[in-house]
Amino acid sequence: MPILGLPESFKSTGPVHFDIERVIRPNILSLHPYRCARDDYKEGILLDANENALGHSISSPADASEINATLELNLHRYPDPSHDPIKERIAALRSITGVDHVFLGVGSDEVIDLLMRVCVAPEREKILITPPTYGMYAVCAQVNDVGIVKVPLELSGAKGEGGTAGRFSVRLNEIKKAVDADPSIKLIFLCSPGNPTGTLIPLSSIREILDYPGFKGIVIVDEAYIDFAGADASAVSLVKEYANLCVMQTVSKSFGLAAIRLGIAIAQPPLIQILSNTKAPYNISTPTAHLALSALSPSAVDAMQSKINTLIASRTKMLQSLSALADLGLGPSVGGNDANFIVVPVLSRDGTKPDNVRSQKVYKSLAEENGVVVRFRGNEPGCEGCLRITVGSEEENEVVIRKLTEVLQQL
């Protein structure tokens, strides 16, 4: 079996008795890695990765002094293995009881990997996912050699308000049927707001799964985009009631700190302690910790919230601008629009249905000829013909609307 990413003509050099393909586990050899937003294009107006286009919020003199202190740190020493000051600020921000409810990982991806490693037995047990959803759940499952049960979201119908019903809502009865049929399912991954759907899952739906006696495992709610969904949207409010709940968050999106790779798990102390017992000894670097501490200061959080409000207002304006392109073959947005991105289908020439071929042409033309990078999502279930466009700065949004108009006119 060829190693994905290596040219077939590549030949290893000696010794003759060694064959790496006999050493690597079969599930790793067959692995298709997660495809990052920057795999295709790295330059231009980058509205493809759902970053915070307005940047981080570490700007006040008090915050700057904390950053400057980083230069005076004892970088020859290993970092704090627990980082309780960061956890204290997260606990205060999210109204959590204490630091024993918070775990820090190298991005949410480390949390996903750890949860699978501590909960799901390789080759014997499984996770459940709800496509279309974040691709790393499936990649991490294959790396850990655990099975995947797929219960797609509702893929038809109109979108519901706030994810309450309709397209991309969670099919609760189908999830219950799946766990009843397969007791080896240990984890259920729910993305809220969804990626790529942008749809918020109502807390009532999450409660229904948590309360279902047929499921004996843990429900993981991935809330990378939760700060764009409005007040009282987070499942963190349920943690005090449910020991079978783990909520993941991140500083990558609303905090504008994707580069420092800091993910957060919030759960009751027993699960947090298990994750802490299992992680690498010094998983969070000292520079990352100091930047995160600065970003979680009261003044920085206020600035972050102001930027969120700006992006939400820009999201509304952008939706209006995109809807004006209907005559050029752009369909109405799909999903709940509860995150910092918008998903819109490019339609066939006669305007009757989503068209992946035409959408790919728009995607490539925007990036290669117009310097605007969005993301093609047409291969995801229920997303045929769709482009995902991150809400950018006011200037970036104006450019993407203008360039998208020009490209659609040319087609």
Side-chain angles (χ1 to χ4, degrees):
M1 179 183 296
I3 296 175
L4 190 65
L6 277 183
E8 293 187 13
S9 59
F10 179 83
K11 300 294 183 184
S12 297
T13 57
V16 296
H17 65 268
F18 174 73
D19 182 355
I20 191 171
E21 293 182 26
R22 295 180 179 273
V23 179
I24 306 301
R25 291 159 53 197
N27 60 299
I28 301 300
L29 280 175
S30 62
L31 175 70
H32 284 260
Y34 179 76
R35 186 166 180 78
C36 297
R38 297 292 140 77
D39 283 337
D40 291 333
Y41 305 105
K42 298 178 176 64
E43 297 179 352
I45 295 177
L46 301 175
L47 301 178
D48 57 328
N50 302 339
E51 297 142 326
N52 188 327
L54 303 185
H56 64 75
S57 302
I58 308 173
S59 58
S60 73
D63 298 331
S65 66
E66 291 193 43
I67 297 176
N68 292 334
T70 301
L71 301 177
E72 302 173 8
L73 297 173
N74 292 323
L75 296 179
H76 61 296
R77 302 295 185 191
Y78 286 110
D80 179 350
S82 60
H83 296 296
D84 281 351
I86 297 175
K87 295 176 182 178
E88 288 170 359
R89 289 189 176 182
I90 291 170
L93 177 65
R94 303 306 190 192
S95 301
I96 305 164
T97 304
V99 299
D100 57 351
H101 286 65
V102 183
F103 173 84
L104 303 178
V106 182
S108 296
D109 294 335
E110 183 186 20
V111 180
I112 294 168
D113 180 67
L114 271 178
L115 285 165
M116 289 193 197
R117 284 197 281 140
V118 302
C119 296
V120 193
E123 298 184 316
R124 292 193 293 109
E125 295 177 329
K126 300 171 185 173
I127 67 166
L128 185 149
I129 63 175
T130 58
T133 192
Y134 181 43
M136 273 304 294
Y137 309 145
V139 170
C140 194
Q142 185 166 349
V143 168
N144 285 284
D145 209 6
V146 303
I148 304 171
V149 174
K150 298 179 181 180
V151 179
L153 300 173
E154 179 56 57
L155 302 181
S156 61
K159 64 184 180 184
E161 293 298 325
T164 55
R167 191 170 185 175
F168 296 137
S169 59
V170 175
R171 298 160 69 213
L172 294 171
N173 288 338
E174 296 304 313
I175 288 177
K176 292 176 184 178
K177 289 178 184 177
V179 298
D180 287 343
D182 193 342
S184 72
I185 296 172
K186 299 291 289 293
L187 302 175
I188 294 176
F189 283 89
L190 303 174
C191 197
S192 178
N195 179 11
T197 69
T199 299
L200 182 71
I201 301 174
L203 295 187
S204 58
S205 295
I206 296 170
R207 276 186 182 275
E208 189 166 338
I209 299 172
L210 292 167
D211 284 329
Y212 186 59
F215 179 56
K216 312 299 184 184
I218 297 172
V219 177
I220 296 99
V221 182
D222 188 346
E223 294 188 341
Y225 303 97
I226 196 64
D227 290 319
F228 300 101
D232 303 321
S234 175
V236 168
S237 62
L238 305 180
V239 166
K240 61 181 178 295
E241 300 177 52
Y242 294 97
N244 56 337
L245 171 64
C246 179
V247 179
M248 296 193 305
Q249 296 184 351
T250 180
V251 301
S252 293
K253 308 300 181 181
S254 57
F255 285 90
L257 289 171
I260 74 170
R261 309 308 301 129
L262 184 72
I264 301 159
I266 299 170
Q268 289 191 16
L271 179 58
I272 295 299
Q273 189 62 57
I274 291 293
L275 294 175
S276 299
N277 293 348
T278 311
K279 74 173 181 66
Y282 310 105
N283 62 331
I284 307 301
S285 74
T286 297
T288 288
H290 274 255
L291 288 167
L293 196 63
S294 298
L296 288 161
S297 69
S299 60
V301 169
D302 288 343
M304 178 267 285
Q305 188 59 58
S306 177
K307 290 183 177 181
I308 289 173
N309 293 338
T310 298
L311 288 169
I312 290 174
S314 295
R315 182 180 69 194
T316 300
K317 184 177 179 181
M318 195 172 183
L319 281 166
Q320 294 170 346
S321 298
L322 290 169
S323 66
L325 302 182
D327 290 343
L328 297 177
L330 197 68
S333 68
V334 299
N337 299 314
D338 294 310
N340 67 331
F341 57 84
I342 295 168
V343 181
V344 286
V346 176
L347 305 180
S348 56
R349 290 182 182 277
D350 60 8
T352 59
K353 60 182 180 180
D355 187 333
N356 267 359
V357 173
R358 198 161 183 255
S359 183
Q360 279 273 19
K361 289 180 179 178
V362 173
Y363 163 67
K364 290 184 178 180
S365 179
L366 283 173
E368 297 173 5
E369 301 167 21
N370 294 278
V372 174
V373 183
V374 298
R375 197 158 191 202
F376 175 74
R377 298 275 75 184
N379 294 327
E380 299 288 333
C383 298
E384 186 176 0
C386 284
L387 300 176
R388 193 189 68 192
I389 306 172
T390 305
V391 178
S393 66
E394 184 176 352
E395 296 78 9
E396 289 173 333
N397 295 338
E398 290 175 355
V399 172
V400 73
I401 295 297
R402 185 174 71 252
K403 294 295 186 181
L404 182 56
T405 301
E406 294 172 1
V407 171
L408 288 170
Q409 286 173 337
Q410 292 167 4
L411 289 178

